[in-house]
Amino acid sequence: MSNDLVLAIEDLTVSFDGFRAVDGLNLYVEKNELRVIIGPNGAGKTTVLDLICGKTRATGGSIKFNGIELTKFPEYKIVQTGVGRKFQTPSIYENLSVLENLEISFPRGRSVFGSLMFKRTQDVTDRILETAEMIFLSEQLDAQAGLLSHGQKQWLEIGMLLIQNPELLMLDEPVAGMSVSEREKTAELLNKVSNGRSVIVIEHDMEFVKRIAHKVTVLHQGKVLAEGNMDTVQNNPKVIEVYLGH
Amino acid sequence: MNAFYTKWMGGKKGAIELAVLAVFIFVVMPLWLDIFRLNLVGKYLTYAFAAVGLVMVWGYGGILSLGQGVFFGIGGYCMAMFLKLEASDPVSTAHQTTPGIPDFMDWNQITHLPLFWEPFHSLIFSLAAVILVPVALAYVISTAMFKRRVGGVYFSIITQAIAAILTILVVGQQGLTGGINGITDLKTIHGWNINTDSAKYILYFLNGVLLLAVIMLCRFLLSSKFGRLLLAMRDKEDRVRFSGYDVANFKIFTFSVGAAISAIGGAMFTLQVGFMSPSLIGIVPSIEMVIFAAIGGRISLVGAVYGTLLVNYGKSAFSESFPSLWLLLMGALFIGVVMLFPNGLAGLYDVYFKKWVEQLAIRLKKVFPLEKLKPVKAEINHEQ
């Protein structure tokens, strides 16, 4: 393994009432890498992201992020160490404007008193404008977020993570519900943002996966079934069997 | 100055709302009502503190507290204990078995002042306790709940249980608390008689000033990023949590602010009405406070004040003629408002009357073009 290992998951296990959703999983992600996790329904993809960001607590194993053990941290601390996570359904503040959505996500004034004293200074505004441009929403800054199209909402949530400049960005089905042209733009965006950080994407759309993935991990029944570049994985007989069934 | 205007007053709209409320409290009411009725309005306005607190906690924070009477009551009791000690000097209680202690203690065969009463000889301590004791309790309750992610209905039920427990405690410990009668016969604060008409006027105005100050403080809190975070938390709590915020701390802070606001109301109640009793702590008054906020409009700070006044006016008007019908009527009013006008009086105003008022304002401007007299000030720097 290279020295630039950002995320090291070892022997990670979680069981819900005896059912092992994730079972002795090992996963390593490097810096500047864009990893895509695929797998049939119920393979444990979303659960893995939940475990990394602290939404679900591991039953056993370890998650090390830049050498820091995350499994015992509360969610907000995990975020503050540099892990950002986008949810499957766009999770944005519908009643606030696009600008306010981005502003709340800006990593400053995260304590109660910090939030009372928070001021929209020039650097905040600059960062908001820069992020809005990246996620193709410069024109919609003052629009109420609830009124955006589904694809724009997905972008907004990605932007809310980008403004925090996380070292590890995790995206759960970022192109679900997007039109073809929106998918194109999102692929470009992801290729751009994976520069300088690590990105984990869960996705079903194989065309999209081909366009963005550096490396693909196939999960099946909570375990890694195969790992490698897209072609190797697609031609792996075990993967074909899992996807096509018996 | 501009920051004060936009943040504390709430901009032009907020400033007008405050001005209307100020005129109503400080001019209309005192000119219209005699001191007996005005004192009654003053009493209702102390409940408005609890309602304003609920707008913050429930309306903005999304936390339904059914125990706001607890904080109102503790604030009131802290004030009453000071007043009672002042009224129980050894000379005026010389006829008691133990002179120098409150009369109800003497009746309950208590022969020396309990330790926790001692600091209430000091006015400064008592005033600090009015705020700090309820805040400390609110902090403990809400920390225990929110850090464990207890919320929603469960939190409401627990606050209600606390209201019941505190009532039972106060009633049961008659010798220490005055029991079901509460703490009565209050006379002076630092030698100043609170029962004279002039004192009642002064206290009424003090109450009004404090109420407006509290509303402005809430405006300030809501105008900051803190206010937008509360909205964001009501909408997508998980997104806020996974954006690096410790959500529980924000709820604890909001709940504690609500408690402090209610407590100020409780202390002003004691001063204006001249007693404090468990009947203001329990479940029923706590739920009534929720009704005041709901009817005023649970996301309108000034609406809560009007809601409180309206419901209490109805209460005294109807309960005089139909005492048994009133409770049913209030229940029906609550259900009706929640079903038909979820945003209460404030929502009703926004939907039906705002247009008229705005049109009226436009016409007035045509008749009295004030702009020509003043230097033009464009929309003042919204930070947003």
Side-chain angles (χ1 to χ4, degrees), chain B residues 153-297:
Chain B
V153 182
Y154 301 99
F155 186 82
S156 307
I157 291 171
I158 285 164
T159 52
Q160 192 171 51
I162 290 166
I165 291 166
L166 193 68
T167 314
I168 293 166
L169 198 69
V170 169
V171 172
Q173 298 298 316
Q174 193 165 278
L176 304 177
T177 62
I180 190 85
N181 297 318
I183 300 179
T184 54
D185 270 337
L186 307 175
K187 297 188 176 78
T188 56
I189 177 165
H190 224 63
W192 182 59
N193 190 338
I194 58 166
N195 295 316
T196 62
D197 280 357
S198 71
K200 283 182 176 166
Y201 269 112
I202 291 171
L203 287 169
Y204 173 85
F205 279 96
L206 174 66
N207 189 52
V209 169
L210 284 173
L211 185 60
L212 289 174
V214 160
I215 292 175
M216 283 164 70
L217 174 74
C218 293
R219 285 255 163 87
F220 168 73
L221 295 177
L222 293 174
S223 72
S224 66
K225 190 175 85 166
F226 174 82
R228 291 191 287 283
L229 272 166
L230 288 186
L231 287 179
M233 274 163 50
R234 266 196 332 189
D235 197 355
K236 294 272 173 1
E237 189 174 316
D238 256 355
R239 186 65 271 168
V240 179
R241 183 172 289 130
F242 289 106
S243 296
Y245 295 96
D246 188 355
V247 168
N249 285 348
F250 288 81
K251 292 188 177 177
I252 292 165
F253 180 77
T254 311
F255 191 66
S256 303
V257 167
I261 295 173
S262 296
I264 298 172
M268 289 311 296
F269 177 94
T270 302
L271 288 173
Q272 291 189 87
V273 186
F275 78 95
M276 190 71 216
S277 86
S279 64
L280 292 146
I281 292 181
I283 292 177
V284 175
S286 296
I287 291 179
E288 279 182 347
M289 290 165 187
V290 173
I291 296 178
F292 302 157
I295 288 184

Side-chain angles (χ1 to χ4, degrees), chain A residues 132-145:
Chain A
E133 173 131 23
M134 269 184 107
I135 56 169
F136 323 109
L137 292 176
S138 295
E139 305 295 309
Q140 281 84 6
L141 272 178
D142 292 323
Q144 198 192 325

Side-chain angles (χ1 to χ4, degrees), chain A residues 94-108:
Chain A
E94 310 244 335
N95 295 316
L96 300 178
S97 71
V98 169
L99 190 145
E100 286 168 333
N101 269 274
L102 291 170
E103 183 188 52
I104 283 184
S105 313
F106 187 83
R108 187 185 297 164

Side-chain angles (χ1 to χ4, degrees), chain A residues 15-116:
Chain A
S15 59
F16 304 117
D17 298 324
F19 168 68
R20 290 180 166 227
V22 174
D23 191 1
L25 180 83
N26 293 304
L27 185 73
Y28 302 90
V29 181
E30 290 168 30
K31 198 174 164 126
N32 292 325
E33 182 185 345
L34 198 159
R35 174 73 61 96
V36 178
I37 299 178
I38 60 171
N41 284 331
K45 304 182 295 287
T46 299
T47 312
V48 171
L49 296 200
D50 284 347
L51 285 163
I52 298 171
C53 74
K55 194 167 188 240
T56 305
R57 293 287 152 192
T59 320
S62 93
I63 302 169
K64 283 214 167 69
F65 174 69
N66 284 332
I68 306 166
E69 180 63 49
L70 293 186
T71 42
K72 297 283 182 287
F73 272 19
E75 298 92 329
Y76 68 92
K77 279 232 173 96
I78 296 180
V79 176
Q80 288 173 5
T81 54
V83 179
R85 190 256 169 98
K86 185 201 159 306
F87 294 97
Q88 203 163 347
T89 46
S91 193
I92 54 166
Y93 316 124
E94 310 244 335
N95 295 316
L96 300 178
S97 71
V98 169
L99 190 145
E100 286 168 333
N101 269 274
L102 291 170
E103 183 188 52
I104 283 184
S105 313
F106 187 83
R108 187 185 297 164
R110 276 164 163 171
S111 67
V112 172
F113 291 99
S115 74
L116 287 172

